[in-house]
Each structure stands twice: as C-alpha cells, then as structure tokens.
Amino acid sequence: MVLKIRLARFGKRNAPFYNIVVAQARTARNSKPLEVLGTYDPIPKPPPSGEGKAIKDIKLDISRAKYWLGVGAQPSEPAWRLLSMIGLLEPKYHGPPQVVEEKAE
C-alpha cells in the first residue's frame, strides 16, 4: 500500500482551496483520504497590519506530517514544496543540470 501526501482541491472556480491529505496513491484526487493534515490557501491575502507582502495561508499539523513521512508516505511535488517551506523536508532544486567533466589520462 503506497501512501502519498498530496493536495485535494476544494473551493470555487477561480478561488482554489486545498486540503493537505494522506491518501493511497491509486485513489482519485478528491476521494476520501486516510487523514487530513492541514489546509493551503494559495490566494494571497493582505497582511493584518496593511504593510508588507501578501500572505498565502498554510495550516498544517506538523506532528502528524512527521509521522506520515516517517512511515514512508511520499509527498507529491506541490506537497513537497509546501513541506519544505515549513522546514520538514529539504527543498528540491530544479536548476540547470550540472555538467561533470572527466579527466583525460
């Protein structure tokens, strides 16, 4: 049984809202998950003080996320990005490939 940590989309058209869920890898995106770990609102909201950058809201149960990562749940690419923002995973860098030069003897 392969487990994935992924995003399940909710909300209206042009107003997405995501639940961060643990589900079996072969189930549909919005099927019933094993557990809901948190929420992610990708639409930036103005900060309460009115100054500074807009804030995207991420709420996550960190202890449960650590548990599921510990038992082998594989995060999807967007979930990996969110978990790396929080500090649970190392960020993936998708920069240009590095060329390794071999020495001629």
Side-chain angles (χ1 to χ4, degrees):
M1 179 166 89
V2 179
L3 299 174
K4 298 285 274 186
I5 298 175
R6 60 186 181 196
L7 303 180
R9 189 179 197 276
F10 292 94
K12 299 182 287 187
R13 182 178 38 177
N14 298 327
F17 187 80
Y18 297 94
N19 278 349
I20 304 168
V21 300
V22 177
Q24 293 183 8
R26 294 181 180 226
T27 59
R29 178 187 70 181
N30 288 338
S31 63
K32 186 174 181 183
L34 296 174
E35 183 174 352
V36 177
L37 298 177
T39 60
Y40 170 58
D41 187 1
I43 299 175
K45 306 283 188 275
S49 63
E51 297 179 9
K53 292 178 69 175
I55 300 169
K56 295 181 180 181
D57 189 30
I58 303 171
K59 295 180 182 172
L60 182 69
D61 185 353
I62 295 175
S63 62
R64 293 303 294 166
K66 284 182 182 178
Y67 168 77
W68 284 111
L69 290 170
V71 296
Q74 298 294 316
S76 65
E77 290 293 327
W80 189 293
R81 184 175 47 85
L82 292 175
L83 293 173
S84 66
M85 282 184 203
I86 295 170
L88 292 179
L89 295 174
E90 293 293 323
K92 287 185 178 179
Y93 295 108
H94 296 291
Q98 297 179 354
V99 178
V100 178
E101 296 181 20
E102 296 182 18
K103 294 181 181 179
E105 293 183 30

